[in-house]
């Protein structure tokens, strides 16, 4: 039997016997996050195809970072998404070929290049990210504001715990 979309899961539903043990609760969190990540990858695949039919989801991630961060060096861009420079360089070349990003001399160091969205890239990302936000609005429309705030707080707490592993701190939107 599945849980109705408007029902909050109770601890008994997680462990099956009342109060969940820490191990049961961690297993339930891991399961739910894995499911969310799979769905997020699928959504990224669809969104990337809306920008360009041949674009990989990794390239969409680069565009998202460029849109929120502004001009950024290749090394910093690779660090932000957690992949190597060669992979990012390949994606940037693809995006540059589509006219979605451009490279310019970094104003702080003329030897380095800063990568930024072009006007075309900004327009495409605006349309696609508006569509993504609408999906979230639809999925979460019936959640009370307090639950949304609590969920955002828990997600922020989880994400900040990854900073101990060297992941960069993301700015709050």
């Amino acid at each position: 039997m599945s849980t109705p979309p408007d029902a909050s899961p109770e601890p008994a539903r997680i462990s099956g016997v009342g109060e969940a043990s820490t191990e049961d609760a961690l297993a339930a969190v891991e399961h739910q996050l894995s499911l969310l990540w799979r769905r997020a990858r699928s959504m990224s695949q669809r969104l990337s195809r809306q920008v360009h039919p041949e674009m990989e989801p990794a390239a969409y991630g680069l565009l998202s970072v460029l849109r929120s961060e502004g001009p950024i060096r290749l090394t910093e861009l690779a660090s932000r998404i957690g992949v190597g420079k060669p992979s990012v360089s390949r994606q940037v070349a693809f995006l540059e070929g589509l006219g979605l990003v451009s490279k310019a001399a970094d104003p702080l160091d003329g030897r380095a290049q800063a990568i930024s969205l072009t006007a075309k890239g900004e327009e495409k990302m605006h349309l696609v990210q508006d569509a993504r936000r609408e999906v979230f609005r639809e999925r979460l429309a019936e959640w009370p504001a307090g639950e949304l705030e609590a969920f955002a707080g828990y997600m922020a707490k989880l994400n900040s715990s990854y900073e101990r592993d060297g992941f960069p701190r993301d700015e709050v939107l």
Side-chain angles (χ1 to χ4, degrees):
M1 182 170 156
S2 66
T3 304
D6 60 341
S8 297
E10 299 294 330
R13 288 198 176 129
I14 293 170
S15 68
V17 294
E19 189 94 9
S21 72
T22 300
E23 282 303 313
D24 289 340
L26 284 171
V29 167
E30 179 184 17
H31 172 76
Q32 292 301 322
L33 283 175
S34 294
L35 181 60
L36 179 63
W37 286 328
R38 285 193 308 271
R39 290 176 176 167
R41 279 193 304 269
S42 178
M43 183 184 288
S44 288
Q45 181 83 8
R46 278 189 251 150
L47 293 172
S48 66
R49 300 291 188 239
Q50 289 178 14
V51 175
H52 188 274
E54 296 174 23
M55 191 165 83
E56 297 175 21
Y60 175 77
L62 294 178
L63 293 173
S64 294
V65 170
L66 289 171
R67 186 164 195 229
S68 65
E69 301 286 324
I72 190 171
R73 290 182 182 186
L74 184 78
T75 305
E76 180 64 19
L77 185 55
S79 172
R80 290 273 182 210
I81 62 168
V83 299
K85 282 175 48 177
S87 178
V88 172
S89 183
R90 183 175 41 82
Q91 294 296 337
V92 166
F94 174 77
L95 295 170
E96 194 174 23
L98 295 177
L100 301 175
V101 302
S102 63
K103 297 179 196 170
D106 187 325
L108 300 175
D109 180 356
R111 298 169 298 173
Q113 292 185 320
I115 303 158
S116 59
L117 286 180
T118 62
K120 178 181 176 181
E122 178 65 39
E123 178 185 340
K124 287 275 194 182
M125 288 303 289
H126 176 72
L127 293 172
V128 171
Q129 288 184 332
D130 281 356
R132 183 185 70 184
R133 278 190 201 93
E134 188 56 35
V135 169
F136 278 115
R137 281 186 192 97
E138 289 171 8
R139 300 293 183 277
L140 302 172
E142 295 180 11
W143 287 38
E147 286 185 11
L148 290 170
E149 288 174 3
F151 182 59
Y154 289 134
M155 294 298 292
K157 185 176 181 178
L158 175 64
N159 283 319
S160 69
S161 73
Y162 282 90
E163 293 170 24
R164 293 186 298 243
D165 298 328
F167 287 91
R169 180 180 187 90
D170 282 346
E171 298 300 318
V172 177
L173 299 178

